[in-house]
Amino acid sequence: MSAPGAVAPAGLRVQRATRSSRIGLAVGAAAVVVLALGPLWALDSVLRTLISFLTLLALAQMWNLLAGYAGLVSIGQQAYVGLGAYALLLFADTVGLPLLVSVLAAGVVGTLVAVPTALLAFRLRGGYFAIGTWVIAEVYRLVITNVSQLGGGSGLTLRAASAFDRTTRLYLTYELALAVGVGAVAATYLLLRRRLGLALTAIRDSEQSAQSLGVPVFRAKLVAYLVAAFGCSLAGAVIYLNLLRVQPEAAFSVNWTAFMIFIVVIGGVGTIEGPIIGTIVFFVLQETLSGYGAWYLVLLGAVAVLVTVAARRGLWGLVADRTGWSLFPVQRRLEERRLEERW
C-alpha cells in the first residue's frame, strides 16, 4: 500500500487508507486499550452492559457480512447463537474442558454445523433463502428441545461456571466479550480487504454477472457464511456464559436476528462502521424505551422505519455523505501520483 503523500513519478497508484481511517484506527486502538482495562475502572453493572453491547456488536457485524456484503439475507442466524450456547454447556460441563477452550470449541461446532446447512440453504434464492434459514433454525431448536440430556424445554444451568467466584467470572466473561466484539470488527475488515471482499461485493451487486466474470461465487458465499456462523456461535457462547442458564426458546429466539437486522439497518448496511453506530443507537433506545413494556418493540420498529425512509444508507451513510469519512476503507481508489521537483 502506498503511503499517502509519498513522492513518486507521474502516474497512478492504488490508495486504500485515508486520513480519517488513520485517525479512526488510532482512536479505536485507544478505545480498545481503555475497554481492556474495564475491570479496573468500571462498576460490575457497567461491565454487564458492555458484555451485552460487545456481543450484539459481534452478531451485527456477522449479519452485515452476510447481507451487506455477500447479499445473503439470513433470518436464521439465531441458530448459531443457540448452538454456541449448547456447545458451551456440552464442552464445559460434560467433557470438562476449561471455559475459554469451551467457548472456542463452541465456535468450531457452529462452523461445522454450518457446512451442511449452507449446502442446503444455498439451493434457495432471495426470499426463499431468508425463509429457509429461519426454518432450519427452527429445526435445530426442535431437535435440541427433544434431547432430554440437554434439559429438554427447561434447559440447563452452566455448572462449570460455579468453579469461579462471581467477580472472577464477570471479568473473564467481559474480556471474552471484548475479544469477540473487537475480533468481529477486525476479522470483517481484514477479510473484506482481501480478494474475497471484492468477490463478495460483486456477488451482492449481481451474482450472475460475477459468475460470468469468473468470480468463484459458491466458494466466496460459503466462506462468508462459515465466518458468520463461527462469529455468531462464539458470541452465543459468551452471552450464555454471562447468563449461566440456557433454554432453547430463548437461545434460538428469532429476536436475536431481529436485533441484528435492526442494528445494521439503523447504522448502515454494507459498511463496517454501520453496525458500530447501530449498536450504540440500539442501546440508547433500549435504555430509553424499555419502560414502555410491549410498546418497546413497536417503537423500535417505528424508529427503524423512519430511519430507513430518511436515510436509506443508515446513519453512517448520512455522516459519510456529509464528511467523506471512511474509518474502515475496504474499497480501492485510483489516485494520481504527485510530482515534486527536487533542487
Side-chain angles (χ1 to χ4, degrees), residues 207-255:
E207 184 171 328
Q208 290 74 19
S209 299
Q211 195 160 24
S212 67
L213 293 173
V215 174
V217 172
F218 178 82
R219 187 173 65 190
K221 289 164 63 174
L222 180 63
V223 171
Y225 192 80
L226 296 184
V227 170
F230 181 74
C232 290
S233 299
L234 278 183
V238 175
I239 288 169
Y240 283 93
L241 176 59
N242 185 43
L243 297 176
L244 297 179
R245 183 166 182 78
V246 184
Q247 290 179 303
E249 289 293 338
F252 289 89
S253 171
V254 73
N255 282 345

Side-chain angles (χ1 to χ4, degrees), residues 264-295:
V264 175
V265 169
I266 289 289
V269 180
T271 63
I272 297 177
E273 298 89 342
I276 300 174
I277 300 295
T279 308
I280 295 172
V281 173
F282 175 79
F283 266 80
V284 171
L285 291 174
Q286 191 177 46
E287 293 297 321
T288 306
L289 304 177
S290 58
Y292 289 91
W295 285 97

